[in-house]
Amino acid sequence: MDDGRIAGVATARYARKKEAILAAATAILNRQGVRGMTLADVAARVGLITTSVTYYYRKKDDLAAACFMRGLERFDAMIAQAAAQPDPPSRLKTFIDLYLDLNRRVRLGEATPLTSFTEIKALKEPLRSSVSNAFNDLFRRVRSFFEGEGFEHLEKRQRNARTHLLMEQVFWSGTWLRRYDLDDYERVRDKIYDILIGGLAAPGRAWAPAALPDPTPVSAEGQEWRETFLVAATRLINQRGYRGASVEDISAALNVTKGSFYHHHEDKDALVVECFQRTFAVTRKSQVDARASKGSSWDQVAAATATLVAYQLSDHGPLLRASSMGALPTDIRHDMAEGYGRGSERFAAMISDGIADGSIRPVDPMIAAHMINSMLNAAAALGAWVPGVERDEAAELFARPLLMGVFTR
């Protein structure tokens, strides 16, 4: 008679193997996206043959969806623990603390990689709807941080904008946390929390960003079509991811043939690099124009961030999201990361000047700069969470909460 011990061992072995497959698939998914992940790559990573992986997950999309769902479960557990705290600031601090602890354990090899959710839209139906609905449920639970007593002044669209801001700050922190040693995490947590609660503005400073010139790069005579080309390509890559946006898709969106595409670009990597360079040029132009404007350094930071958030919803927006870097070849990815780094350093310099002239609170300039860049990246998707948002209200809804504090009126 079977006493259950043999079945128990087999069940435990099955569960361990399944977890190993999910961990391997998540690492590949984060780097290569849904389109770039193959069952063969996952199998090789865990020392199996492809048919062994299909015993657990019949199709690639099934495995990708399982990775997303496992990631959502992990975040949901953190949110549930944070929600049990007695007040909004405590919930926020607990959420950040739990995420940083999980990130630390991942870096130590004590936990499996965190899932990037940027590729959910690359799933096929009905899996895409199923995972998207689960993500929306997670979003609503985080939104509860901005609901209840004390938040009656916030409309639903304001709560949605601040929820999107908070979630993206957490998701994107993984891209810059690796710059810090694990021993620095407690300090990093305190600095992130301080900026989210208190913003950047020194006491008495108001949110009244000045208008800056349009930062769209000026095309050479006869090259106006190039701006249209890059905007259309950027939108498609943001929507579908680097690997999800094929040359055929981009050519169709631009209403050109593949032959015409290759006439202007050596390959898709060359196009993505040009889209990134345009993004860096727009960011740099706003920063330079802000520095040249009158007012304090606080006024300059407010003007630059407000201009760039509004730009994301303009006819020339959005800018290319940093997530597209992950699938680029290593040498190109390094150069693009350097471009983002220079943008962060310019923001950090502006913030340092503001601390010196007293217009900005004493915050960590580099962490604040990373958080501004995370906010600007997230602004590209603001319309998905605040339907109908207009360009002229985007900065008030999205930049102001970060720079003035997420719990402020």
Side-chain angles (χ1 to χ4, degrees):
M1 181 176 176
D2 182 7
D3 63 3
R5 284 178 291 183
I6 296 176
V9 170
T11 300
R13 186 184 305 115
Y14 176 89
R16 285 196 301 272
K17 188 62 69 176
K18 191 172 184 178
E19 287 299 317
I21 290 171
L22 281 173
T26 297
I28 296 172
L29 182 67
N30 288 349
R31 188 176 64 254
Q32 299 178 193
V34 173
R35 292 277 185 95
M37 184 181 77
T38 68
L39 293 180
D41 288 341
V42 175
R45 196 176 180 101
V46 292
L48 296 172
I49 58 175
T50 304
T51 52
S52 296
V53 175
T54 59
Y55 175 71
Y56 297 86
Y57 300 99
R58 289 182 57 249
K59 297 179 181 179
K60 180 178 70 173
D61 267 33
D62 294 332
L63 177 54
C67 291
F68 290 131
M69 294 301 289
R70 178 56 56 85
L72 291 171
E73 289 169 3
R74 298 171 83 183
F75 272 98
D76 188 54
M78 289 187 280
I79 292 165
Q81 194 169 337
Q85 301 305 308
D87 54 71
S90 298
R91 292 172 200 140
L92 178 61
K93 190 168 188 177
T94 299
F95 184 35
I96 298 168
D97 198 23
L98 291 170
Y99 174 79
L100 287 179
D101 181 63
L102 180 54
N103 184 281
R104 179 188 62 79
R105 288 188 287 115
V106 169
R107 287 182 60 179
L108 288 171
E110 298 173 356
T112 56
L114 294 161
T115 311
S116 169
F117 301 114
T118 57
E119 288 268 322
I120 289 177
K121 289 184 178 180
L123 289 172
K124 297 175 182 177
E125 293 290 7
L127 291 171
R128 180 170 61 206
S129 292
S130 178
V131 175
S132 294
N133 289 338
F135 187 93
N136 291 341
D137 288 341
L138 184 76
F139 185 92
R140 283 189 284 271
R141 284 190 281 277
V142 177
R143 191 174 62 197
S144 68
F145 289 8
F146 301 99
E147 296 174 340
E149 185 178 353
F151 293 102
E152 297 85 355
H153 59 286
L154 293 180
E155 299 175 354
K156 183 177 179 180
R157 62 207 313 265
Q158 292 174 304
R159 294 189 181 105
N160 280 355
R162 295 182 190 210
T163 302
H164 177 48
L165 173 66
L166 174 57
M167 291 180 72
E168 289 294 318
Q169 287 297 329
V170 172
F171 294 155
W172 282 98
S173 65
T175 65
W176 56 265
L177 275 171
R178 62 177 65 97
R179 295 170 177 263
Y180 295 85
D181 289 331
L182 297 178
D183 292 341
D184 296 328
Y185 269 33
E186 184 174 349
R187 175 184 171 277
V188 170
R189 177 205 63 197
D190 291 341
K191 297 302 180 181
I192 293 174
Y193 173 76
D194 176 59
I195 291 168
L196 288 173
I197 290 289
L200 302 187
R205 297 285 171 170
W207 172 257
L212 296 178
D214 184 350
T216 302
V218 178
S219 300
E221 187 175 352
Q223 294 287 308
E224 293 81 3
W225 61 270
R226 202 165 197 84
E227 171 68 9
T228 302
F229 197 102
L230 294 176
V231 169
T234 296
R235 289 174 180 171
L236 194 64
I237 294 168
N238 278 356
Q239 290 170 3
R240 303 187 185 180
Y242 168 80
R243 294 184 183 274
S246 65
V247 170
E248 290 83 357
D249 294 332
I250 296 170
S251 300
L254 296 168
N255 198 27
V256 300
T257 64
K258 285 179 64 177
S260 178
F261 176 93
Y262 286 117
H263 176 72
H264 298 293
H265 293 91
E266 181 179 341
D267 53 28
K268 190 171 74 171
D269 287 350
L271 172 63
V272 174
V273 166
E274 191 168 358
C275 289
F276 270 120
Q277 290 172 339
R278 177 182 176 277
T279 292
F280 300 151
V282 169
T283 303
R284 182 171 58 251
K285 179 70 163 54
S286 291
Q287 291 171 322
V288 170
D289 286 342
R291 294 299 294 266
S293 65
K294 296 179 180 179
S296 66
S297 294
W298 156 251
D299 296 321
Q300 294 169 6
V301 171
T305 52
T307 296
L308 289 167
V309 167
Y311 192 84
Q312 296 279 36
L313 276 71
S314 72
D315 291 340
H316 290 275
L319 301 175
L320 191 61
R321 297 198 71 177
S323 57
S324 300
M325 281 193 297
L328 288 170
T330 304
D331 55 338
I332 299 176
R333 184 167 69 244
H334 174 77
D335 290 342
M336 298 305 101
E338 288 291 314
Y340 267 105
R342 286 190 290 273
S344 294
E345 288 164 5
R346 281 191 292 273
F347 273 126
M350 296 165 72
I351 293 166
S352 294
D353 290 346
I355 295 170
D357 69 26
S359 63
I360 292 178
R361 294 194 311 117
V363 298
D364 186 299
M366 202 67 232
I367 290 177
H370 289 314
M371 292 175 71
I372 287 175
N373 267 341
S374 297
M375 181 266 293
L376 294 176
N377 259 287
L382 181 59
W385 300 106
V386 187
V389 61
E390 298 290 341
R391 176 184 179 181
D392 60 1
E393 59 182 347
E396 173 73 19
L397 278 170
F398 207 58
R400 183 180 181 275
L402 179 63
L403 271 65
M404 301 296 288
V406 295
F407 294 134
T408 58
R409 291 183 178 271

